């Protein structure tokens, strides 16, 4: 007998979450440079298994009901296997922000460069125009 599954749909991404070991720099980048409001923070002490570190889980409003979130594990160091390397595997992990048109993308490029951040490159790949920084 085949089970009939209910029809359901997703409404988009609620949030993505990543660890950070640079609390101040993360907040300054997303709030001050990208202009995303910091809208919520959970201070978690004693959550999870006994060996789980205390953490802050904080969320920035990224538009249209979505957020980008980070975990800051208090008193921990970044594990060596998570260090950034100049390798395609590490460069593949990224966040792509949506803008309405090419002119707005260029305004964002000017904003990012105006904040002293170097644009690594701007390129068109098939139907997407991207800036990488």
């Amino acid at each position: 007998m085949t089970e009939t599954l209910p029809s359901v749909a997703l409404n988009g991404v609620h949030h993505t979450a990543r660890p950070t070991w640079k609390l101040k720099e993360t907040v300054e980048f997303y709030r001050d440079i990208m202009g995303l409001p910091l809208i919520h923070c959970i201070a978690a002490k004693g959550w999870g298994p006994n060996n789980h570190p205390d953490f802050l889980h904080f969320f920035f409003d990224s538009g249209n009901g979505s957020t980008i979130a980070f975990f800051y594990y208090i008193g921990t160091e970044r594990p060596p296997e998570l260090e950034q390397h100049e390798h395609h595997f590490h460069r593949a992990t990224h966040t792509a922000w949506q803008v309405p048109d090419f002119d707005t993308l260029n305004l964002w490029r000017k904003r990012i460069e105006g904040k002293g951040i170097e644009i690594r490159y701007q390129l068109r790949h098939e139907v997407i125009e991207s800036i990488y920084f």
Side-chain angles (χ1 to χ4, degrees):
M1 179 176 197
T2 304
E3 180 180 351
T4 302
L5 299 175
S7 177
V8 295
L10 297 173
N11 291 330
V13 174
H14 179 271
H15 74 272
T16 63
R18 295 188 175 117
T20 182
W21 286 269
K22 296 181 177 184
L23 178 61
K24 180 178 183 281
E25 293 89 341
T26 300
V27 171
E28 288 174 347
F29 177 78
Y30 286 95
R31 183 193 62 200
D32 302 341
I33 293 176
M34 295 300 294
L36 304 182
L38 179 60
I39 59 170
H40 189 71
C41 182
I42 299 167
K45 183 173 182 167
W47 285 22
N50 291 339
N51 65 348
H52 197 275
D54 297 337
F55 61 91
L56 300 175
H57 188 28
F58 53 103
F59 298 76
F60 297 92
D61 183 343
S62 55
N64 296 323
S66 69
T67 59
I68 184 167
F70 293 88
F71 288 97
Y72 175 70
Y73 294 102
I74 300 166
T76 68
E77 298 291 325
R78 181 193 306 243
E81 63 271 16
L82 296 181
E83 290 292 332
Q84 291 292 328
H85 302 282
E86 283 299 316
H87 185 277
H88 68 274
F89 178 78
H90 292 277
R91 290 191 309 262
T93 301
H94 66 280
T95 299
W97 301 100
Q98 184 174 347
V99 298
D101 53 41
F102 184 75
D103 291 337
T104 305
L105 181 68
N106 282 329
L107 290 173
W108 270 102
R109 179 179 180 138
K110 288 178 185 175
R111 176 187 173 106
I112 297 301
E113 290 175 324
K115 297 285 186 173
I117 297 175
E118 179 184 349
I119 301 296
R120 292 186 87 171
Y121 41 86
Q122 180 168 348
L123 61 94
R124 181 167 190 80
H125 32 98
E126 297 185 14
V127 297
I128 302 169
E129 180 84 20
S130 300
I131 57 174
Y132 293 84
F133 56 95

